Amino acid sequence: MTMLQPVSVTRREGTSIEISRKLLDYLLSGRVQPGQRLPPERRLAETMGVGRSVVREALKSLTLLGLLEVRLGDGTYVKRVDAEVLSQSIEWGLVLGPRNILDLLEARSHIDVILAGLAAERRDEEALDELRTLLAEMDAARADAPRFAAAEAAFLRRVTDAAGNDVLGGGMATIRSLLQVWTSRLPDEPDHVRDAIASYGRLVDAIEWRDSTAARTSMGVAMGRAAERIRLALAAGVDLAPGDGSEAPR
């Protein structure tokens, strides 16, 4: 557990996201192996300087992704970490209903933030040029929801590619596909489009400057607003259940 330290929580991201990110970084660091048991919640909480409930929520998110296995009465164990495991675990979400949308949103918020930071560290000039082009395409498609959604999806895929982590990229592709199925019926919202473009613009600047901290913050803001939009729709009773696949993705 030498990698884990007390966490300084940022205001925008909140405690649970910070803890999930630190644990995910730890699991993917190579210092823990499949089959290894994690320390108990109490010890993790003490090591990271947070409450046990926060650690419990973070472990829940990583269990959803297939990175951890909870054995009743025995503890939490590290599973085999690869894109196939991530995909197989998340695919079950399609039959779990609206509750799982919130779990997928939580998982996406953690992973996309990590990918943004890695993209800032590893990007090349080709990736940067393509991100600028896709950002311009989103800006030009403000009034065309299907076109904007397609450009946004391509933009996020390019950020993932620039991050250069196939494990996280494979899992992220599955999460986005499932969320796209559920959110295709969201109403058009000009404010959402405007805010998304602004956040992505700051993200591209951070990637250009190789500022991983700023990149994580910008992606966190973008994903936080997108998640809140879906939560509000669910709370308002909007039917987001999968249709026949004919709806344009948002």
Side-chain angles (χ1 to χ4, degrees), residues 12 14-15 53 79 121 139 156 172 175 196 212 243 245 249:
R12 284 186 172 176
T15 306
S53 62
K79 294 181 66 176
E121 296 170 3
D139 191 40
L156 292 172
M172 196 68 253
I175 292 174
S212 60

Side-chain angles (χ1 to χ4, degrees), residues 17 51 89 112-113 123 129 143 159 167 169 207 218 221 233:
I17 292 179
S89 176
D112 262 332
V113 166
R123 63 86 176 164
D129 289 343
V159 172
V167 172
I207 290 175
S218 297
V221 170

Side-chain angles (χ1 to χ4, degrees), residues 1-56:
M1 295 302 297
T2 55
M3 259 189 77
L4 295 177
Q5 304 288 335
V7 174
S8 177
V9 178
T10 63
R11 290 184 178 181
R12 284 186 172 176
E13 294 185 348
T15 306
S16 63
I17 292 179
E18 288 280 0
I19 297 302
S20 295
R21 181 195 302 167
K22 295 297 183 183
L23 287 172
L24 184 56
D25 287 343
Y26 176 62
L27 293 176
L28 297 176
S29 69
R31 299 193 183 190
V32 289
Q33 301 301 319
Q36 183 174 335
R37 185 170 65 178
L38 291 183
E41 286 180 6
R42 181 184 300 277
R43 183 178 166 195
L44 286 172
E46 292 173 351
T47 300
M48 305 182 81
V50 296
R52 290 182 63 181
S53 62
V54 175
V55 170
R56 189 175 302 116

